[in-house]
Amino acid sequence: MRSSSYQKLEKQVRNCEFPIPGSVAIIQPYVFPYLGYFQLLYSVENVVFYDDVNFIKRGWINRNKILVNGKEFMFTIPLQKASQNKLINEIGLVENQLFIQKFRQQLKSAYKKAPYYAEVNDVIESVFVGEYSNIGDLAIVSILAICRYMNLDLNWMKSSEEFYETKAQSKADRLISISKMLACDTYINPVGGKSLYQKDYFAKHGINLGFIESGKVKYKQFENNFVPYLSIIDILMFNDKTTVLELLNNFDIG
């Protein structure tokens, strides 16, 4: 039998009540992440940027994909001695104006003819003029800049600042503890977490666990064949804010 909290979540999703009352997402900060990341932020009341967990090399914390000459292209923010033995907020950035200049030129070459290049490029520029002590902070600022551009309110905090005392707990138990400390009874995770976390275990501790999964997304990228799973940068370059909001609503939680 499904719990009452699960039935409540099912009803909210069915009736498109977002953000879900009493909900939280706890997620590592990624630089200019993909659409599904923002769908997760859009679906919840509270966001905790998980910046005091181990850095993942070749993950999405300091890199993502844009469209270059009709194909996906990976950009990577240079880091100082990146290691999976360090926490995200322990890894500094390389003082590299050459990278910023090169990335600026790559964006111009790739998107200068896109309909929303000028305003989106201003958003990106606003991120790279800042000074950051670690890659986590730069990634968070990139996310907040996109949210401001889309007029999305975000009640956010960092795990390193607000929930440090939970750091020694195991993965699932820490997520449950943070949820309870925020008086949240619903925790939403990306669908990839189905192999890591069990609904029954969360329910036993009074937390309803849901997994968010994006629907099919397709939009016009110049005249080339559509290239999926790119950074939010690509979506914003080709779509007005109303269309992007429609895409943000294109997901399921189960």
Side-chain angles (χ1 to χ4, degrees), residues 26-29 48-53 88 159 174-175 178:
I26 305 168
I27 189 166
Q28 296 175 13
V48 177
F49 290 119
Y50 221 18
D51 67 332
D52 59 351
V53 294
I88 294 171
S159 57
R174 191 178 187 199
L175 299 177
I178 292 173

Side-chain angles (χ1 to χ4, degrees), residues 192-245:
K194 281 187 173 182
S195 61
L196 299 175
Y197 306 120
Q198 303 301 315
K199 287 177 179 283
D200 289 347
Y201 186 80
F202 277 69
K204 185 171 69 174
H205 292 83
I207 302 296
N208 180 53
L209 171 61
F211 295 100
I212 188 167
E213 185 169 12
S214 297
K216 290 185 178 180
V217 172
K218 191 172 184 178
Y219 50 90
K220 187 174 181 179
Q221 298 165 323
F222 300 126
E223 301 301 324
N224 58 279
N225 294 329
F226 180 67
V227 180
Y229 309 119
L230 302 181
S231 163
I232 191 70
I233 290 172
D234 190 78
I235 292 177
L236 297 179
M237 290 288 187
F238 291 109
N239 298 279
D240 61 30
K241 293 181 182 181
T242 299
T243 302
V244 178
L245 285 172

Side-chain angles (χ1 to χ4, degrees), residues 61-237:
I61 296 166
N62 68 314
R63 63 183 194 155
N64 217 298
K65 298 176 182 179
I66 57 174
L67 186 72
V68 175
N69 296 325
K71 298 179 180 180
E72 64 178 39
F73 170 82
M74 183 80 75
F75 69 87
T76 303
I77 310 295
L79 303 176
Q80 294 180 358
K81 298 180 180 178
S83 168
Q84 296 191 165
N85 296 319
K86 293 182 179 179
L87 306 181
I88 294 171
N89 65 355
E90 292 176 337
I91 296 179
L93 303 165
V94 173
E95 296 278 345
N96 194 340
Q97 287 301 313
L98 182 61
F99 162 77
I100 295 175
Q101 293 171 8
K102 184 178 179 180
F103 186 54
R104 184 182 290 127
Q105 187 56 44
Q106 286 170 337
L107 288 172
K108 183 177 180 180
S109 176
Y111 294 112
K112 64 183 177 182
K113 294 182 179 179
Y116 302 97
Y117 168 75
E119 51 262 55
V120 176
N121 189 62
D122 285 345
V123 175
I124 298 168
E125 287 286 338
S126 74
V127 174
F128 285 105
V129 297
E131 295 184 2
Y132 308 98
S133 62
N134 62 77
I135 181 57
D137 285 350
L138 184 150
I140 290 170
V141 170
S142 78
I143 294 162
L144 298 180
I146 299 299
C147 288
R148 283 195 300 271
Y149 175 74
M150 291 301 302
N151 299 314
L152 299 177
D153 291 330
L154 201 64
N155 182 35
W156 66 276
M157 58 212 78
K158 292 194 268 186
S159 57
S160 62
E161 294 180 350
E162 304 295 335
F163 307 104
Y164 183 81
E165 65 272 31
T166 66
K167 192 169 172 295
Q169 295 180 331
S170 65
K171 290 181 179 179
D173 288 336
R174 191 178 187 199
L175 299 177
I176 290 168
S177 292
I178 292 173
S179 299
K180 289 184 175 182
M181 291 171 72
L182 288 169
C184 292
D185 62 4
T186 300
Y187 170 67
I188 305 298
N189 199 82
V191 69
K194 281 187 173 182
S195 61
L196 299 175
Y197 306 120
Q198 303 301 315
K199 287 177 179 283
D200 289 347
Y201 186 80
F202 277 69
K204 185 171 69 174
H205 292 83
I207 302 296
N208 180 53
L209 171 61
F211 295 100
I212 188 167
E213 185 169 12
S214 297
K216 290 185 178 180
V217 172
K218 191 172 184 178
Y219 50 90
K220 187 174 181 179
Q221 298 165 323
F222 300 126
E223 301 301 324
N224 58 279
N225 294 329
F226 180 67
V227 180
Y229 309 119
L230 302 181
S231 163
I232 191 70
I233 290 172
D234 190 78
I235 292 177
L236 297 179
M237 290 288 187

